[in-house]
Amino acid sequence: MTLLAVAVGGRGLVDPDEPVLRADDEALLRGRAAFETVRVYGRRPYRLAEHLERLAQSAERIGLPAANVLELSELATQAVEAADIEDSVLRLFWTPGNGEGAPTSLALVSELPTHYDALRERGQRLIALRGIRAEEPWLLPGVKSTSYAVNIAAEAEAKRRGADDAVFVDREGVVLEGPTTNIWWRRDRTLFTPALELGILAGVTRAAVLELAGGLGYEVVEGTFPLGELAGADEAFTSSSIREVMPVTKLDERPLGRGPAADELQAALRAEATRG
Ligand code: PLP
């Protein structure tokens, strides 16, 4: 990741090579911080208000001081301006510090990964891995905290097995989400995606796809589905801020067909995000 700009609460823009957190920050000691990853299109962070709202909810559920969303929004603007490129990745963090001093707001802007358009052409291979269904409040359902080691380890395991990414299923085989994506599939003109009640993250891109699907003539059903439903779909895709809508062409050893929905939704998402 090439950092282009960093802005810190109370300090503004700082040199990206400069350290910005205390050594005893809870974010480091215990992974107790809230974060967001936002796609910037044409120097505008897409659905920033939704990301900030989710960050505020994450902070509350982790038990952090209330997030200063105004400050984070200002830092986001400063960092995006300073990065001085059209399309980028904006990361926002709200860390509690050591619990005695003030929390820290951070906005980081980095270059977009370059390989996602090629992956969209080829389609992703996913493997199903056991994940935790976060049904209890202390399992932090729907929270985007910096405790992402498990998610990244699942992605690494998928790669070790020759796939691009994982999709989590619970011990009953119910489909949940990917380590950093929401999952979708289509049968005829109906799109299916796991319900938020399963403790998955309420993806900002998921919400955008839900809105855009109707205009493209798709019905959407959110629910509790076994993996067989995904495996037997006409097509499947994932949604996330940086990878956007990404087709799935293989699940475990089973090929999945390419279809129109992923391409139509990707085009609709881009159109909405880049509209002036
Ligand atoms: N699910 C998980 C576990 C995630 O970490 C993410 C994003 O990182 C998503 C879903 C997709 O969310 P969004 O569309 O807001 O990027």
Side-chain angles (χ1 to χ4, degrees):
M1 175 169 101
T2 313
L3 263 185
L4 300 171
V6 177
V8 187
R11 295 170 65 189
L13 288 168
V14 299
D15 181 338
D17 289 332
E18 200 178 303
V20 291
L21 290 179
R22 296 176 54 98
D24 60 358
D25 194 305
E26 285 275 297
L28 172 66
L29 298 190
R30 301 177 196 270
R32 287 186 70 243
F35 84 106
E36 287 293 321
T37 306
V38 185
R39 171 70 148 88
V40 178
Y41 297 89
R43 297 174 190 247
R44 279 183 304 146
Y46 179 59
R47 297 198 175 208
L48 181 60
E50 285 90 331
H51 281 284
L52 288 169
E53 193 182 329
R54 187 172 67 186
L55 183 140
Q57 283 168 7
S58 295
E60 191 184 328
R61 292 195 202 151
I62 298 168
L64 308 181
N68 187 343
V69 291
L70 189 64
E71 181 178 70
L72 280 160
S73 166
E74 284 166 7
L75 295 174
T77 305
Q78 285 176 28
V80 168
E81 255 174 44
D84 199 23
I85 54 168
E86 292 297 302
D87 293 342
S88 59
V89 179
L90 165 68
R91 288 185 174 81
L92 301 172
F93 292 85
W94 177 250
T95 86
N98 64 359
E100 289 163 19
T104 305
S105 307
L106 279 180
L108 273 53
V109 176
S110 55
E111 280 173 358
L112 268 181
T114 50
H115 59 283
Y116 286 144
D117 284 335
L119 187 58
R120 201 181 330 282
E121 283 290 306
R122 156 159 83 71
Q124 312 172 84
R125 297 178 295 245
L126 299 187
I127 58 158
L129 292 180
R130 172 77 60 77
I132 293 170
R133 182 158 156 185
E135 283 174 307
E136 311 291 350
W138 54 89
L139 295 174
L140 300 179
V143 167
K144 206 162 159 70
S145 83
T146 50
S147 305
Y148 251 49
V150 166
N151 304 49
I152 303 309
E155 201 180 317
E157 175 64 12
K159 293 209 163 91
R160 203 183 59 75
R161 296 192 200 178
D164 298 299
D165 204 354
V167 56
F168 287 128
V169 293
D170 76 359
R171 59 172 64 245
E172 274 89 45
V174 169
V175 187
L176 300 171
E177 63 187 331
T180 58
T181 64
N182 290 109
I183 180 89
W184 299 76
W185 59 97
R186 177 185 63 81
R187 267 185 199 270
D188 300 323
R189 300 297 298 174
T190 306
L191 301 177
F192 298 87
T193 196
L196 299 182
E197 288 68 38
L198 293 166
I200 61 171
L201 192 74
V204 170
T205 323
R206 180 185 182 279
V209 169
L210 271 169
E211 286 171 33
L212 295 167
L216 294 167
Y218 294 103
E219 192 196 334
V220 181
V221 179
E222 299 169 78
T224 302
F225 306 107
L227 187 63
E229 295 279 318
L230 167 57
D234 295 335
E235 72 170 295
F237 55 91
T238 59
S239 66
S240 65
S241 295
I242 305 307
R243 283 179 235 188
E244 303 169 287
V245 177
M246 186 71 84
V248 177
T249 46
K250 203 168 175 195
L251 174 66
D252 294 326
E253 289 314 309
R254 195 176 170 136
L256 275 161
R258 290 293 287 247
D263 293 343
E264 289 168 11
L265 285 159
Q266 170 64 14
L269 178 71
R270 279 275 174 109
E272 187 199 83
T274 54
R275 203 170 293 142

